Amino acid sequence: MPQTLKAVKTPAHSCNVLTLCSRSNPAILTIAHRGFWTHKAENSLASVGAAVAASVEMIEIDTQATADGRLVVIHDETLDRTTTGTGTVSELPFDVVRAARLKAGAGGNAAAITHECVPTLEELLEEARGKVAVNIDTKFARDLPQVMETVLRLGVEDQVLVKTDIDPEASQFEVLDADWFGRIPHMPMFRVRKGRFADDLRRIEALKAPMIEVKFDDLADLLEGRKEMERQDIRLWINTLDVSHCLDYNDTRALSRPDEVWGTLAEAGVGAIQTDEVEAFTGWLKTRASITGRAWAR
């Protein structure tokens, strides 16, 4: 039988996922989207180092397999936006993908070209080892078994959080039968249904989720599920990325009205925020702590 993961007592800047996610941790977690891409190329090894230097608790990265089965860290289906190469990643051999150079920041035609290449998932996990927790977004379900094998082979399962979409109304959750389940922390993702959030949380209790990522259409629904999240010791992750479409709770508005965006979410029980504005968010957290003299209660 697979060994059940356990939270361990670690330093304040722990990269143990279960320790970070436990509601006994008073901090609101900062999740750096695609690494710290506003300072370095997105999904690059350098973006890991930048995130570590900024003291974020977790980075989110993307992975997919090349035509010859090598897991690389890149978001798009093609090389075009973020590298000097072209073509579909899954249709190209690893050496072709590797020959491309990453573009600075979010890439694009005007972006500067760096000396970095597209990293493998193994390289990135080694770069993050013992330094920062890693949330892995597997771009294609077909690659998930290989992703899990890589995490377990490297022995970094304590600092990795893998997410998959789930349907709270499903009669059974396929993920429960996966050989990695219970060995690697798993984060279910789903959309909050009007007036049914608490019920859906009870439906997914078998998943023993340390954290869930949701999209919502009414902030009141998040509040309605708060007691159930407390009962199950679930931390709530919300994206304030401009593309997330969680009403107007987005990074752009947060830059001018942080209390109305990040503050409102924190008061609603959100315990982790994925953002493209890492510096602004961490700065706001420090300001709030100095003003209130306390950590946010979830």
Side-chain angles (χ1 to χ4, degrees):
M1 293 181 65
Q3 180 180 2
T4 301
L5 283 166
K6 295 181 179 179
V8 296
K9 292 183 179 180
T10 49
H13 294 294
S14 169
C15 57
N16 179 281
V17 167
L18 298 187
T19 299
L20 289 171
C21 290
S22 171
R23 295 180 68 91
S24 64
N25 174 14
I28 297 177
L29 307 183
T30 305
I31 318 294
H33 184 223
R34 303 179 193 171
F36 202 165
W37 68 262
T38 56
H39 279 221
K40 303 292 181 179
E42 74 172 49
N43 279 319
S44 66
L45 296 183
S47 76
V48 177
V52 172
S55 298
V56 306
E57 289 88 354
M58 185 178 291
I59 58 172
E60 183 264 2
I61 58 100
D62 309 279
T63 193
Q64 57 186 295
T66 60
D68 46 355
R70 296 289 297 275
L71 288 172
V72 292
V73 181
I74 187 170
H75 176 271
D76 296 2
E77 291 187 25
T78 71
L79 295 172
D80 301 44
R81 175 178 64 86
T82 58
T83 81
T84 57
T86 59
T88 302
V89 174
S90 63
E91 297 174 357
L92 296 171
F94 174 70
D95 60 349
V96 172
V97 174
R98 191 66 151 184
R101 289 294 171 262
L102 291 174
K103 296 178 180 179
N109 293 334
I113 298 171
T114 75
H115 295 294
E116 285 199 86
C117 55
V118 177
T120 64
L121 178 61
E122 184 169 335
E123 288 170 337
L124 189 138
L125 291 175
E126 288 290 3
E127 183 71 17
R129 185 188 290 272
K131 302 173 185 174
V132 65
V134 181
N135 173 240
I136 301 178
D137 185 352
T138 306
K139 303 314 292 183
F140 301 99
R142 62 179 181 250
D143 296 328
L144 192 58
Q146 187 179 355
V147 171
M148 301 310 197
E149 184 279 329
T150 301
V151 171
L152 292 170
R153 174 168 48 81
L154 294 179
V156 292
E157 55 268 32
D158 287 350
Q159 72 176 81
V160 167
L161 179 67
V162 176
K163 58 189 173 189
T164 66
D165 290 307
I166 61 112
D167 176 5
E169 283 198 303
S171 57
Q172 64 179 36
F173 302 113
E174 293 182 4
V175 69
L176 288 171
D177 296 323
D179 60 3
W180 55 265
F181 187 81
R183 302 167 71 190
I184 302 173
H186 170 250
M187 181 171 69
M189 300 185 295
F190 58 97
R191 178 169 284 279
V192 174
R193 298 186 295 168
K194 180 65 179 173
R196 304 179 72 177
F197 190 31
D199 287 341
D200 284 345
L201 289 169
R202 285 186 281 270
R203 288 189 179 94
I204 69 166
E205 187 168 0
L207 296 177
K208 301 185 183 302
M211 182 150 63
I212 58 172
E213 177 185 331
V214 304
K215 293 185 178 181
F216 64 95
D217 300 308
D218 189 337
L219 192 67
D221 288 318
L222 298 186
L223 293 165
E224 187 263 344
R226 188 165 183 167
K227 287 185 178 180
E228 186 59 29
M229 286 188 288
E230 291 172 355
R231 185 183 74 81
Q232 293 188 43
D233 193 23
I234 295 174
R235 183 173 289 254
L236 180 60
W237 161 318
I238 294 293
N239 296 331
T240 58
L241 314 172
D242 286 351
V243 297
S244 294
H245 307 301
C246 286
L247 303 176
D248 58 353
Y249 295 97
N250 57 62
D251 285 342
T252 293
R253 189 162 77 95
L255 290 177
S256 59
R257 300 176 181 271
D259 288 338
E260 293 182 15
V261 178
W262 295 323
T264 299
L265 291 174
E267 293 291 0
V270 175
I273 289 179
Q274 180 174 217
T275 177
D276 283 325
E277 299 293 344
V278 170
E279 290 174 307
F281 181 62
T282 56
W284 173 79
L285 285 176
K286 291 176 182 177
T287 299
R288 289 298 305 176
S290 66
I291 292 173
T292 63
R294 64 175 177 85
W296 284 101
R298 293 174 312 283

